[in-house]
């Protein structure tokens, strides 16, 4: 279930807010300029291609693309395999997003399957948004954040971009990301 956890950015040991209430999550994030909504889920093949995912959600993809002016959409699939190659690929993919960074573009993600956590560092607080299947999150351009897919990532995600260059990040020199609970730690909590 979707969850929002908030800490002061200088006190990762003290949870200020933890909620699974969709309305509260939407309102809290909306006050920060972050859009959050939910789409109904559609059945997908076990290992869908990007085209299959986009086609399954075409009506919603077209609506978001038109409303927000996106020109490039793709889908990423992480399906675990019990091989050393997959474990290395997953570790490399996870490490790429674990440090604080910003983008010149909004970062819109829809989770068609699985989950991941976006950590938003805004106004002296860290907002960890555990996105699960059905969640659409839009992180505004220039918002400091990081993403954790966990040590055993499993998700299908649609990504939206304003240009064909796709995902381009500017990493901060002094990231606080390593001070906060990880995806694995947060999802292990009751």
């Amino acid at each position: 279930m979707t969850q929002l956890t908030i800490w002061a950015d200088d006190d990762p040991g003290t949870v200020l807010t933890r909620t699974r209430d969709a309305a509260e999550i939407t309102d809290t994030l909306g006050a920060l300029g972050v859009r959050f909504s939910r789409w109904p889920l559609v059945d997908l093949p076990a290992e869908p291609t990007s085209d299959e995912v986009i086609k399954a959600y075409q009506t919603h993809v077209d609506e978001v693309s038109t409303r927000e002016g996106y020109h490039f959409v793709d889908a990423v699939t992480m399906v675990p395999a019990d091989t050393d190659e997959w474990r290395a690929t997953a570790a490399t993919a996870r490490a790429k997003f674990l440090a604080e960074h910003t983008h010149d573009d909004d970062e819109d993600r829809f989770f068609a399957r699985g989950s991941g956590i976006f950590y938003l560092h805004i106004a002296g607080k860290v907002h960890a948004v555990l996105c699960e299947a059905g969640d659409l999150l839009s992180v505004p351009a220039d918002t400091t954040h990081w993403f954790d897919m966990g040590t055993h990532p499993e998700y299908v995600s649609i990504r939206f971009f304003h240009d064909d260059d796709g995902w381009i990040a500017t990493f901060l020199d002094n990231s606080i990301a390593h001070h906060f609970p990880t995806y694995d730690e947060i999802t292990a909590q009751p």
Side-chain angles (χ1 to χ4, degrees):
M1 175 178 273
T2 307
Q3 177 177 288
L4 173 64
T5 307
I6 304 173
W7 304 268
D9 63 5
D10 60 355
D11 188 5
T14 304
V15 172
L16 302 175
T17 300
R18 180 173 289 130
T19 183
R20 293 182 182 272
D21 181 89
E24 184 178 356
I25 292 169
T26 302
D27 291 347
T28 301
L29 295 176
L32 301 170
V34 177
R35 293 184 313 276
F36 175 81
S37 60
R38 299 208 25 94
W39 295 354
L41 293 174
V42 175
D43 287 333
L44 296 170
E47 295 188 37
T49 66
S50 181
D51 288 342
E52 288 172 326
V53 176
I54 293 167
K55 184 177 179 183
Y57 288 96
Q58 194 69 61
T59 301
H60 295 290
V61 167
D62 291 346
E63 177 187 318
V64 170
S65 295
T66 299
R67 183 180 68 236
E68 302 301 329
Y70 290 118
H71 300 286
F72 178 63
V73 178
D74 70 2
V76 176
T77 299
M78 293 291 291
V79 177
D82 190 20
T83 66
D84 290 339
E85 180 183 357
W86 184 85
R87 284 185 282 280
T89 298
T92 299
R94 181 180 186 226
K96 178 179 180 180
F97 306 112
L98 279 177
E100 281 188 290
H101 59 275
T102 62
H103 304 284
D104 292 338
D105 195 1
D106 293 348
E107 185 167 1
D108 282 32
R109 298 292 179 269
F110 170 71
F111 285 82
R113 183 183 295 152
S115 61
I117 299 178
F118 277 90
Y119 296 79
L120 313 173
H121 188 182
I122 303 172
K125 294 181 181 170
V126 172
H127 304 75
V129 186
L130 171 59
C131 294
E132 298 203 319
D135 291 345
L136 172 67
L137 183 73
S138 177
V139 180
D142 301 316
T143 300
T144 302
H145 67 283
W146 68 95
F147 176 73
D148 190 356
M149 62 182 78
T151 54
H152 295 25
E154 183 172 3
Y155 66 89
V156 175
S157 175
I158 298 175
R159 309 182 308 170
F160 297 83
F161 302 99
H162 284 108
D163 59 51
D164 294 343
D165 293 334
W167 193 89
I168 299 172
T170 302
F171 288 91
L172 277 62
D173 291 332
N174 296 310
S175 175
I176 64 169
H178 62 282
H179 295 298
F180 288 83
T182 66
Y183 171 95
D184 294 335
E185 292 167 331
I186 289 175
T187 57
Q189 297 172 1

